[in-house]
Amino acid sequence: MATTFANKKPADTAAAAPSGPLPITQDAPRRRRRPVVVGAGLALAAVGALVAVWQVDEAGNRVPVIALAHDVKAGETVQKSDLVVAQVAPDAALAPVPVSRSGDIVGKTAAADLPQGTLVTDASVNEGTPIAKGRDTVGILAKPGQLPAQRLHPGDEVVLVHTPQDDAEASKSTTQEAPDSISAVVVGLSSQDANGAVVVDVAVAGTDSPSLATWTARGAVTVVLKAAS
């Protein structure tokens, strides 16, 4: 016997998908901003603004002062060409000389070695005429024992005593009542070398420079610092 099945539709058959484009809506979900993040952003923006204002203010407060365009040795006369303008923020601890007072610096002598870029102060120079003006400058290679342990400075008054090393000169000097000596003024000093020797530039009268140069070549001179008057 033949069995006949009737065509039946499942009860849970899904509804047909809608045909045509989906409608566009303006009601999209929005992300909610956290108050903490917003506050942090505003704080950072405020700090950045304050820093910018401070930098502009500092730049506006810079003043023109005098600096060294190149090295100037102790005792040398400061020339106009030695000076250059530098822009710095005011600082009472530095006390640099303003550009308006450059005339007070030109023509004076350096109180110490002034490296390039150094800000010039009133203490950087000495009053009066150059130390070596009208005198000859002679360099003395002084080894330990030929100069005081106290460091010399430009402008110091010294006595250069002839101290011969060989027997012939020594015997000749013993017949004299006092050793030969020359008055001088220190112009500048070098740094110590590996053996502790220092080159001392001294200003002496033109009549004394030949004798001093001879003593120096023989290493027969001792530098004596005169007592302060």
Side-chain angles (χ1 to χ4, degrees):
M1 182 176 63
T3 305
T4 305
F5 294 92
N7 292 330
K8 296 181 180 179
K9 294 182 179 182
D12 57 346
T13 301
S19 60
L22 294 174
I24 298 176
T25 176
Q26 298 295 330
D27 298 330
R30 297 182 181 180
R31 298 178 61 183
R32 185 178 179 182
R33 297 182 180 179
R34 292 190 233 173
V36 175
V37 176
V38 175
L42 292 175
L44 290 175
V47 171
L50 290 174
V51 171
V53 170
W54 176 79
Q55 289 177 339
V56 171
D57 185 62
E58 284 296 309
N61 285 339
R62 292 183 178 274
V63 294
V65 298
I66 303 172
L68 271 300
H70 46 74
D71 296 347
V72 176
K73 296 295 183 181
E76 292 183 349
T77 303
V78 179
Q79 306 291 340
K80 187 176 181 180
S81 58
D82 295 328
L83 305 179
V84 68
V85 179
Q87 300 287 338
V88 299
D91 190 339
L94 297 178
V97 176
V99 173
S100 59
R101 290 187 50 221
S102 58
D104 296 339
I105 303 300
V106 175
K108 294 183 179 179
T109 57
D113 290 343
L114 304 176
Q116 178 183 357
T118 301
L119 296 181
V120 178
T121 67
D122 287 321
S124 301
V125 295
N126 288 325
E127 297 282 350
T129 57
I131 299 172
K133 185 176 182 180
R135 301 184 181 189
D136 295 344
T137 300
V138 180
I140 302 172
L141 178 60
K143 299 177 182 179
Q146 290 181 283
L147 74 168
Q150 176 182 341
R151 179 169 176 80
L152 299 174
H153 298 87
D156 285 344
E157 295 184 1
V158 296
V159 176
L160 309 174
V161 181
H162 183 211
T163 52
Q165 304 297 318
D166 58 83
D167 295 338
E169 285 194 68
S171 60
K172 181 180 177 181
S173 64
T174 55
T175 62
Q176 301 175 353
E177 295 182 357
D180 293 330
S181 62
I182 297 173
S183 295
V185 178
V186 177
V187 176
L189 300 94
S190 71
S191 301
Q192 289 186 349
D193 62 15
N195 298 318
V198 177
V199 176
V200 183
D201 287 344
V202 294
V204 298
T207 55
D208 293 329
S209 58
S211 297
L212 179 57
T214 302
W215 300 352
T216 301
R218 297 174 180 174
V221 59
T222 298
V223 181
V224 178
L225 178 63
K226 293 184 67 174
S229 55

